[in-house]
Amino acid sequence: MHDPFPIPPWQWLSQAVQPFADYFHLTTLPLHIHEVVGSFLAYTFINKVIAPQVSMLLFPEKYSKFSAERKLNWDVHVVSLCQSSLINVLALWVMFADEERSNMTAQERVHGYTGAAGMIQGLATGYFLWDLMITLQNLRVFGIGMLAHATSALLVFSFGFRPFVNFYGCTFILYELSSPFLNFHWFFDKLDMTGSKPQLYNGIALLFTFFCCRLVWGTYQSVRVYQDVWRSMHNQPAFSASINIDALANGTASAVDAAAGHSAAPLKNDIMRFADDEFIPLWLGFTYLGSNLVLNTLNFYWFGKMIEAVRKRFQPAKEGRQKDKAIAMKSTGANGKVKISVEESEVRRRKGLDEDEPIAAVS
């Protein structure tokens, strides 16, 4: 399936990025660089312009009183909400509409390429590039965990331009199915709707989608990609000793070479046209699988934190006792004797939610 993006590649931009693509062996990046740049600029615009203006329009009292750090976090969640909603729809559409992708073999899932899957990788790469930039600029706010997530996600999706596991771009971007619910959960807290029924229903949907799409679907697909990559790393492409007769009739340069005896190998199909020698360097295999392992580990860690956070909002608050300092009291009895007594007062304090408890937008 060809790239369905309505705007064609910008020739000047493709030419400008060609040296970078050649150096890092990102063969298909020039075909999708306009989607990467466009996505990056769009999310930057949403973050800097759309999110603040719409938030002031919808929640003028709340948003105007936020601290600078809280506004930053709010705007980032708005971007995450927009991105996850868009990319989920597009990825699901490509998975159902792209017949070439659906019929890929194990070798094609590793080395194959379709324009539609490339579009998903281009749009996702632009977002993760923005995510990495905003995380580095505000590392104190978002922390090392989000930096590891942004870096791993950017690496994983960038490798698709080699192309390498281009097939799995749509598969793993479906992690984002839980992100809209995660963002709404965070918004409810900041709008003083903590413990409300909307947050309860949203919390149930959040835990369900996160468990299904990240832990179940994500782990299953990770096993599949490990298997495909492992087979491909040990696969030696077989070259036929005879000329592909069908190739001779297509009139291409490759057919002329084949007719002249310069090539005895069958011509690659359209899906494998960027596959080259179908060789996977060890560093590439281990880097990709390592990044994927980091993302999966973070998913399990964050799921535990989410259960804890959702439960905290709906369980009755515990009361803890805190004793004040002892107070000495002096009194005189009826017989004229002085009596000194020591009393300890108890103060009950309610353990509430930490107002700034971080529930990050995991993207």
Side-chain angles (χ1 to χ4, degrees):
M1 183 177 181
H2 294 294
D3 187 347
F5 196 70
I7 302 175
W10 304 324
Q11 185 175 1
W12 64 270
L13 185 58
S14 298
Q15 291 175 347
V17 81
Q18 190 67 56
F20 175 87
D22 291 339
Y23 184 82
F24 289 101
H25 304 285
L26 303 176
T27 309
T28 64
L29 178 60
L31 301 177
H32 299 282
I33 186 61
H34 63 301
E35 294 159 352
V36 176
V37 174
S39 173
F40 175 84
L41 293 178
Y43 293 128
T44 301
F45 182 73
I46 293 174
N47 180 41
K48 299 296 184 182
V49 180
I50 301 297
Q53 291 187 2
V54 172
S55 300
M56 277 297 296
L57 181 65
L58 297 178
F59 313 104
E61 294 185 6
K62 285 288 183 183
Y63 189 80
S64 61
K65 294 179 181 178
F66 285 164
S67 63
E69 184 175 303
R70 178 66 59 80
K71 285 182 179 179
L72 167 68
N73 226 330
W74 177 283
D75 295 341
V76 166
H77 279 77
V78 172
V79 176
S80 175
L81 177 62
C82 295
Q83 187 272 155
S84 57
S85 301
L86 173 65
I87 204 70
N88 284 332
V89 173
L90 292 177
L92 288 171
W93 175 74
V94 169
M95 291 177 71
F96 285 104
D98 191 349
E99 295 182 0
E100 290 179 323
R101 179 188 176 278
S102 301
N103 296 324
M104 282 184 176
T105 64
Q107 195 70 1
E108 289 171 341
R109 288 196 295 268
V110 176
H111 297 285
Y113 163 86
T114 71
M119 177 193 71
I120 297 299
Q121 293 207 277
L123 297 176
T125 300
Y127 169 75
F128 289 123
L129 184 62
W130 170 86
D131 189 32
L132 179 61
M133 178 195 72
I134 207 75
T135 302
L136 286 172
Q137 290 176 343
N138 304 276
L139 187 58
R140 183 182 61 84
V141 177
F142 297 111
I144 297 298
M146 291 303 297
L147 178 62
H149 176 272
T151 304
S152 298
L154 181 60
L155 278 175
V156 165
F157 278 87
S158 296
F159 287 150
F161 296 120
R162 293 183 68 92
F164 177 68
V165 293
N166 172 266
F167 170 90
Y168 285 99
C170 296
T171 299
F172 287 117
I173 203 63
L174 291 185
Y175 280 2
E176 298 290 343
L177 285 170
S178 63
S179 294
F181 302 106
L182 181 60
N183 287 302
F184 278 118
H185 181 85
W186 191 90
F187 289 138
F188 284 137
D189 277 346
K190 302 306 173 279
L191 295 175
D192 295 332
M193 296 179 65
T194 300
S196 63
K197 285 187 177 181
Q199 190 180 48
L200 173 62
Y201 301 145
N202 181 81
I204 294 172
L206 167 61
L207 295 178
F208 177 77
T209 54
F210 196 98
F211 178 80
C212 291
C213 71
R214 294 192 182 235
L215 304 192
V216 178
W217 170 262
T219 302
Y220 168 68
Q221 293 297 333
S222 294
V223 172
R224 287 192 65 195
V225 75
Y226 293 159
Q227 292 174 338
D228 286 345
V229 171
W230 180 261
R231 292 194 197 101
S232 185
M233 290 177 69
H234 293 80
N235 176 67
Q236 296 295 331
F239 294 98
S240 173
S242 61
I243 295 176
N244 187 337
I245 301 301
D246 293 334
L248 300 179
N250 64 16
T252 63
S254 298
V256 174
D257 288 341
H262 298 156
S263 173
L267 298 180
K268 294 181 182 292
N269 60 31
D270 193 52
I271 293 176
M272 299 289 282
R273 64 186 182 276
F274 297 115
D276 293 332
D277 56 2
E278 302 178 29
F279 171 73
I280 300 178
L282 282 177
W283 70 265
L284 176 60
F286 284 115
T287 301
Y288 180 88
L289 299 181
S291 298
N292 191 278
L293 181 62
V294 169
L295 293 175
N296 282 326
T297 302
L298 287 172
N299 284 334
F300 278 91
Y301 169 76
W302 277 322
F303 186 66
K305 300 295 286 185
M306 285 179 190
I307 293 176
E308 179 183 344
V310 172
R311 180 188 301 165
K312 187 183 295 185
R313 282 155 176 77
F314 298 99
Q315 278 187 340
K318 296 180 180 179
E319 293 185 346
R321 292 187 175 185
Q322 179 175 327
K323 292 186 177 181
D324 287 346
K325 293 182 178 180
I327 301 175
M329 300 184 66
K330 180 179 179 181
S331 61
T332 303
N335 56 5
K337 293 184 178 180
V338 176
K339 180 181 179 181
I340 298 177
S341 61
V342 179
E343 293 185 359
E344 292 181 342
S345 61
E346 291 182 344
V347 179
R348 293 181 181 268
R349 296 191 178 181
R350 186 177 185 273
K351 293 182 179 179
L353 291 174
D354 182 1
E355 184 181 356
D356 293 318
E357 179 183 4
I359 302 179
V362 184
S363 302

